[in-house]
Amino acid sequence: NAGVTQTPKFRVLKTGQSMTLLCAQDMNHEYMYWYRQDPGMGLRLIHYSVGEGTTAKGEVPDGYNVSRLKKQNFLLGLESAAPSQTSVYFCASSYFPAVPGTDTQYFGPGTRLTVL
Amino acid sequence: DQQVKQNSPSLSVQEGRISILNCDYTNSMFDYFLWYKKYPAEGPTFLISISSIKDKNEDGRFTVFLNKSAKHLSLHIVPSQPGDSAVYFCAGSGGGADGLTFGKGTHLIIQP
């Protein structure tokens, strides 16, 4: 049981390049999330998904796209990377909560992305 | 507008003493609050939570207190241990599926 895994762990991009971050969970969770963490900013929600085939925008969605083709995977794409997207990216997942808001989110180890 | 505020970027406490981490929120729609702990180069891990209908929740050395009228919550760690040195994030949930709203975190340092 690996929990939430993220690929890759580190990446350096040049401005304008594209890439996809992969998140996988083996806990059969319905909900999945992508956050970014910047120094002094805490974690901010980029996009989220409440089930296979569904996605929705979070607090800071601009410049990112996501897809949830399989329940266990949630992909975050950067079509044209910018230096402002230099950050640590965390994926998280949670059960469909019996009581909304009581779901505990399980986080992956993070992907450190640098855009030059 | 910052909906969850952790005004102390860092806190230093002696081993064995009580650590108190504070968190304030402005969103009255939050009905659930969580604390996460984060070590360097790792993802956040869930620590303890509290529903807005309660004012206290305890789990071993960790206790969270909620004061709804003041929109304030605090995390108490007693006694503090070296392994507690980490960044602690306070988060609020509005009951929807759209994730958690996190504070900026407090770096707790436990000194021997």
Side-chain angles (χ1 to χ4, degrees):
Chain A
N1 191 342
V4 180
T5 58
Q6 292 182 231
T7 308
K9 289 185 168 53
F10 303 93
R11 186 73 185 267
V12 179
L13 289 178
K14 294 182 179 179
T15 297
Q17 287 185 317
S18 64
M19 78 162 296
T20 300
L21 283 67
L22 172 64
C23 175
Q25 52 94 4
D26 60 3
M27 296 174 282
N28 202 34
H29 285 169
E30 286 292 335
Y31 293 177
M32 295 188 75
Y33 310 85
W34 275 107
Y35 293 88
R36 61 179 287 175
Q37 184 191 13
D38 302 298
M41 293 294 292
L43 285 86
R44 293 181 293 170
L45 183 66
I46 305 171
H47 286 279
Y48 64 98
S49 167
V50 299
E52 182 178 323
T54 74
T55 63
K57 294 180 179 180
E59 180 187 354
V60 288
D62 293 342
Y64 305 95
N65 55 75
V66 288
S67 63
R68 183 100 181 267
L69 299 180
K70 294 182 179 180
K71 185 178 181 179
Q72 64 268 32
N73 295 337
F74 195 27
L75 278 64
L76 177 71
L78 287 73
E79 289 186 348
S80 180
S84 61
Q85 294 178 304
T86 294
S87 187
V88 181
Y89 292 86
F90 290 101
C91 176
S93 68
S94 65
Y95 292 105
F96 179 84
V99 177
T102 63
D103 55 304
T104 298
Q105 294 187 15
Y106 297 84
F107 283 80
T111 294
R112 184 173 294 275
L113 175 66
T114 301
V115 183
L116 302 176
Chain B
D1 178 36
Q2 203 179 340
Q3 298 184 51
V4 178
K5 300 177 184 178
Q6 294 178 258
N7 292 321
S8 298
S10 66
L11 175 67
S12 183
V13 175
Q14 272 196 315
E15 182 179 355
R17 306 293 290 267
I18 183 171
S19 294
I20 300 176
L21 292 85
N22 293 305
C23 177
D24 298 295
Y25 64 95
T26 59
N27 189 338
S28 300
M29 300 303 291
F30 287 147
D31 61 3
Y32 207 70
F33 301 90
L34 305 91
W35 285 92
Y36 279 81
K37 177 179 180 180
K38 185 182 180 304
Y39 292 118
E42 294 184 10
T45 55
F46 171 74
L47 188 59
I48 192 169
S49 61
I50 187 166
S51 167
S52 61
I53 62 173
K54 295 187 176 182
D55 55 16
K56 177 182 175 181
N57 188 28
E58 192 172 352
D59 183 1
R61 296 186 298 113
F62 303 92
T63 303
V64 57
F65 295 92
L66 175 62
N67 182 333
K68 281 189 69 176
S69 61
K71 292 190 172 67
H72 176 83
L73 59 155
S74 61
L75 173 68
H76 292 211
I77 306 173
V78 182
S80 299
Q81 299 175 353
D84 296 331
S85 293
V87 177
Y88 290 78
F89 290 99
C90 171
S93 172
D98 55 345
L100 302 171
T101 301
F102 285 86
K104 294 182 177 181
T106 296
H107 185 195
L108 176 64
I109 302 163
I110 305 301
Q111 301 203 341

